[in-house]
Amino acid sequence: MSLLTNVMDHSLDDGYAEAAARKKAAGDGGLPRTLRAKLGLAVGLVLAALVVTVGAAQARVAAPVVAKEREELVDRIDRETVTADKLEKSVDELRDDVNQRQREALKQSGDSGQADLVSILSGAAEVHGPGVKLVVNDAKEATTGGDGNPRETSGFSDTGRVRDRDMQRVVNGLWESGAEAVSINGQRLTALSAIRAAGDAILVDNKPLVPPYTVLAVGDGKRLSTRFQNSADGLYLNALQENYGIRTAISVEDDLRLPAAPSVIVRTAEPRTEKGTS
């Protein structure tokens, strides 16, 4: 209490008080005493006031110009946005038209049965039938970072997050186990599809996916499920679940529907002929 009382009674440090007393005794005041000093102070105040006044006047004059430039910039952005939207819509329409023509070309390249099989295997046609539904998700612990968003945490499987290579092994394991068609989060996979990582996101054919990752595989449901779970890739996925908390769920479905691939490249090949040998 004595310390608090001392602070209350002596709010100003004694050294400051002594310095003020010495300055007062020496006749040094805060205001100028000579006429020249007073004139200098007055001139300084006038100049400061002039600078502030001129600055305020210039800001007031420039305000309408800045506002007009800002409005013109906003209008330009709006116009460019509308143009970009139209171009994007046109690109989508052209892409759909190209894909449709490619599918028609596949159907016309040979007998109907063979063409249908080629369309299914290449991903050019929608498919449905029995199969397996596999859901792969980040571990619950991964949602504790970045305001509950597992995509904002650092690291990969060792922190409970699914990596691109994990999904690659899952898809390859399903193909090897007898899947006839596979999709991830509605994105149909083909023989040319790529599963890659870009920062924290997993990309399928350059399109980002968001967990949970729902993998649909059309095939002999029970056999496909059993073969996958007993395969090296199925055991790998099980190890991720046990060691890192990756959440998985697999079920056999009676009817799965997979869309066609958004873009299918039509390629043809001809047998190579050896030139004259004698």
Side-chain angles (χ1 to χ4, degrees):
M1 293 298 295
S2 60
L3 177 60
L4 295 177
T5 303
N6 184 52
V7 171
M8 295 295 296
D9 294 339
H10 303 85
S11 59
L12 185 64
D13 189 90
D14 294 338
Y16 288 105
E18 293 177 1
R22 287 196 303 269
K23 191 172 182 180
K24 184 175 181 181
D28 296 333
L31 295 175
R33 294 180 177 274
T34 63
L35 179 60
R36 178 178 295 181
K38 292 180 178 179
L39 289 176
L41 177 61
V43 171
L45 293 175
V46 170
L47 289 177
L50 180 62
V51 170
V52 173
T53 303
V54 171
Q58 289 180 345
R60 179 173 296 180
V61 171
V65 178
V66 173
K68 183 178 179 180
E69 292 178 350
R70 181 181 181 278
E71 185 177 354
E72 291 177 352
L73 182 59
V74 171
D75 292 340
R76 182 179 177 183
I77 292 174
D78 292 338
R79 292 194 302 269
E80 295 296 335
T81 301
V82 172
T83 302
D85 291 341
K86 291 181 179 179
L87 291 175
E88 185 176 358
K89 183 179 179 180
S90 177
V91 169
D92 292 338
E93 292 176 351
L94 292 174
R95 183 181 292 113
D96 293 340
D97 182 60
V98 170
N99 293 337
Q100 182 63 30
R101 291 177 183 271
Q102 289 176 344
R103 296 187 183 98
E104 292 177 357
L106 285 174
K107 292 180 180 179
Q108 296 174 1
S109 60
D111 60 275
S112 177
Q114 184 69 17
D116 292 340
L117 179 60
V118 171
S119 298
I120 293 174
L121 296 179
S122 64
E126 299 180 3
V127 296
H128 72 91
V132 168
K133 177 180 179 181
L134 175 62
V135 180
V136 183
N137 199 359
D138 296 328
K140 291 183 178 180
E141 291 76 8
T143 61
T144 58
D147 296 330
N149 186 352
R151 295 294 95 192
E152 296 181 4
T153 60
S154 61
F156 296 98
S157 287
D158 54 348
T159 57
R161 294 178 57 250
V162 180
R163 301 177 296 182
D164 57 328
R165 67 178 66 178
D166 301 331
M167 297 308 300
Q168 290 173 4
R169 295 202 59 166
V170 167
V171 171
N172 289 335
L174 288 170
W175 286 122
E176 187 177 358
S177 299
E180 300 173 5
V182 180
S183 70
I184 304 179
N185 287 12
Q187 183 74 16
R188 179 76 174 274
L189 303 181
T190 69
L192 302 177
S193 295
I195 302 176
R196 295 288 184 267
D200 290 335
I202 296 179
L203 307 182
V204 173
D205 292 336
N206 295 324
K207 292 187 177 181
L209 303 182
V210 178
Y213 306 104
T214 301
V215 184
L216 303 180
V218 172
D220 187 343
K222 293 183 179 180
R223 183 183 179 190
L224 177 59
S225 176
T226 301
R227 292 186 62 180
F228 172 75
Q229 294 184 70
N230 293 333
S231 67
D233 298 310
L235 296 176
Y236 170 82
L237 187 60
N238 186 61
L240 291 182
Q241 183 177 7
E242 293 181 353
N243 298 327
Y244 305 113
I246 299 295
R247 291 172 287 175
T248 65
I250 187 169
S251 60
V252 177
E253 304 292 333
D254 295 330
D255 187 28
L256 297 175
R257 293 186 175 273
L258 278 62
S263 180
V264 178
I265 300 175
V266 178
R267 297 179 178 178
T268 59
E270 297 179 0
R272 180 179 177 181
T273 58
E274 296 292 340
K275 292 189 177 179
T277 58
S278 56

